[in-house]
Short mmCIF file of all heavy atoms in Angstrom, two decimals:
data_model
loop_
_atom_site.label_atom_id
_atom_site.label_comp_id
_atom_site.label_asym_id
_atom_site.label_seq_id
_atom_site.Cartn_x
_atom_site.Cartn_y
_atom_site.Cartn_z
N LEU M 191 -54.69 179.46 108.56
CA LEU M 191 -53.29 179.99 108.53
C LEU M 191 -53.04 180.75 107.27
O LEU M 191 -52.36 181.82 107.25
CB LEU M 191 -52.31 178.83 108.71
CG LEU M 191 -52.30 178.13 110.08
CD1 LEU M 191 -51.44 176.89 110.05
CD2 LEU M 191 -51.86 179.09 111.14
N ALA M 192 -53.56 180.25 106.11
CA ALA M 192 -53.36 180.91 104.85
C ALA M 192 -54.03 182.23 104.86
O ALA M 192 -53.47 183.25 104.36
CB ALA M 192 -53.89 180.02 103.71
N GLN M 193 -55.21 182.35 105.48
CA GLN M 193 -55.91 183.63 105.55
C GLN M 193 -55.10 184.64 106.38
O GLN M 193 -54.96 185.80 106.00
CB GLN M 193 -57.30 183.44 106.23
CG GLN M 193 -58.26 182.64 105.44
CD GLN M 193 -58.88 183.41 104.28
OE1 GLN M 193 -59.08 184.60 104.36
NE2 GLN M 193 -59.11 182.69 103.20
N ALA M 194 -54.52 184.17 107.44
CA ALA M 194 -53.80 185.09 108.36
C ALA M 194 -52.35 185.39 107.85
O ALA M 194 -51.93 186.48 108.08
CB ALA M 194 -53.73 184.41 109.73
N HIS M 195 -51.70 184.45 107.22
CA HIS M 195 -50.25 184.59 106.96
C HIS M 195 -49.87 184.41 105.47
O HIS M 195 -48.73 184.26 105.18
CB HIS M 195 -49.43 183.67 107.85
CG HIS M 195 -49.80 183.75 109.30
ND1 HIS M 195 -49.45 184.86 110.00
CD2 HIS M 195 -50.41 182.92 110.12
CE1 HIS M 195 -49.89 184.71 111.28
NE2 HIS M 195 -50.48 183.57 111.36
N GLY M 196 -50.85 184.35 104.60
CA GLY M 196 -50.56 184.12 103.18
C GLY M 196 -49.69 185.15 102.51
O GLY M 196 -49.19 184.87 101.48
N ASP M 197 -49.48 186.29 103.16
CA ASP M 197 -48.59 187.32 102.55
C ASP M 197 -47.10 186.94 102.77
O ASP M 197 -46.25 187.31 101.97
CB ASP M 197 -48.82 188.71 103.16
CG ASP M 197 -48.72 188.66 104.66
OD1 ASP M 197 -48.95 187.65 105.32
OD2 ASP M 197 -48.44 189.79 105.23
N LYS M 198 -46.84 186.09 103.80
CA LYS M 198 -45.42 185.78 104.10
C LYS M 198 -45.12 184.32 103.78
O LYS M 198 -43.95 183.97 103.59
CB LYS M 198 -45.15 186.06 105.56
CG LYS M 198 -45.23 187.53 105.91
CD LYS M 198 -44.74 187.80 107.26
CE LYS M 198 -44.74 189.24 107.64
NZ LYS M 198 -46.09 189.81 107.81
N VAL M 199 -46.08 183.44 103.76
CA VAL M 199 -45.90 182.03 103.54
C VAL M 199 -46.89 181.57 102.53
O VAL M 199 -48.05 181.97 102.57
CB VAL M 199 -46.08 181.23 104.85
CG1 VAL M 199 -45.92 179.69 104.63
CG2 VAL M 199 -45.07 181.65 105.92
N THR M 200 -46.49 180.74 101.61
CA THR M 200 -47.36 180.20 100.57
C THR M 200 -47.95 178.83 101.08
O THR M 200 -47.16 178.03 101.67
CB THR M 200 -46.57 179.96 99.23
OG1 THR M 200 -46.09 181.22 98.76
CG2 THR M 200 -47.50 179.31 98.22
N PHE M 201 -49.20 178.63 100.94
CA PHE M 201 -49.88 177.43 101.42
C PHE M 201 -50.46 176.69 100.25
O PHE M 201 -51.20 177.26 99.46
CB PHE M 201 -51.01 177.78 102.40
CG PHE M 201 -50.53 178.41 103.71
CD1 PHE M 201 -50.25 179.79 103.76
CD2 PHE M 201 -50.28 177.60 104.81
CE1 PHE M 201 -49.81 180.35 104.94
CE2 PHE M 201 -49.81 178.22 105.97
CZ PHE M 201 -49.57 179.57 106.05
N VAL M 202 -50.06 175.40 100.10
CA VAL M 202 -50.54 174.64 98.98
C VAL M 202 -50.95 173.27 99.46
O VAL M 202 -50.53 172.82 100.56
CB VAL M 202 -49.46 174.45 97.86
CG1 VAL M 202 -49.08 175.80 97.33
CG2 VAL M 202 -48.27 173.70 98.38
N LYS M 203 -51.79 172.58 98.69
CA LYS M 203 -52.15 171.22 99.00
C LYS M 203 -51.99 170.37 97.73
O LYS M 203 -52.09 170.86 96.62
CB LYS M 203 -53.55 171.08 99.53
CG LYS M 203 -54.65 171.63 98.66
CD LYS M 203 -55.97 171.56 99.43
CE LYS M 203 -57.13 171.98 98.52
NZ LYS M 203 -58.42 171.81 99.20
#
Side-chain angles (χ1 to χ4, degrees):
L191 291 173
Q193 293 285 324
H195 306 293
D197 56 333
K198 296 188 176 72
V199 177
T200 300
F201 295 84
V202 300
K203 59 185 184 176

